[in-house]
Amino acid sequence: MTQLRALRADITTLQTDAIVNAANETLLGGGGVDGAIHRAAGPELLAACRKLPELRPGVRCETGQARITPGFRLAARYVIHTVGPVWQGGGEAEAQLLASCYANAVTLAAEHAVRELAFPAISCGVYRFPKTEACRIAVETLRSLAQPALASVYLVAFDLEMFELWQAALEDSSR
């Protein structure tokens, strides 16, 4: 069974097989976690993302989907890019799209023999997804996936508030 654990850290420094990037549809970098990962990985990551095919002009990854690239200058071997939903009030399938981000990232991880995977809090920054609800969806989705090859999943928080929300979601799901 995959071990789920909250971790307070800078995701760009983790020595895991893969880290997940909370990306935008272009996959060409942005703010928050996305910008930090692109800066830490170096210009090779941007070049690799540019090589991914566009599904339509400017879109390399649809909301809820995931793509994988090497990690380049990161300690992680891979970066799995996923595009979380922008919160619109809850009536635009945001919960299902967020769950798809986690599920599709885990599927890609399994396809690339990833044993340790680290997630940020997808959609909890500028995309304004309610953090408590996002943590619950993430934990429930990850617990429901049977990926025996995936030994550890880290739910990474840069700040104390997010770490405590991850911890609470893990505790609530264990009851």
Side-chain angles (χ1 to χ4, degrees), residues 85-90 94 121-131 134:
V86 174
W87 182 254
Q88 304 290 327
E94 294 100 314
I122 299 166
S123 288
C124 290
V126 297
Y127 285 11
R128 303 177 317 276
F129 208 105
K131 293 176 182 178

Side-chain angles (χ1 to χ4, degrees), residues 12-33:
T12 68
T13 66
L14 295 180
Q15 294 189 6
T16 60
D17 294 327
I19 62 171
V20 176
N21 181 18
N24 60 52
E25 292 179 331
T26 69
L27 301 185
L28 301 182
V33 172

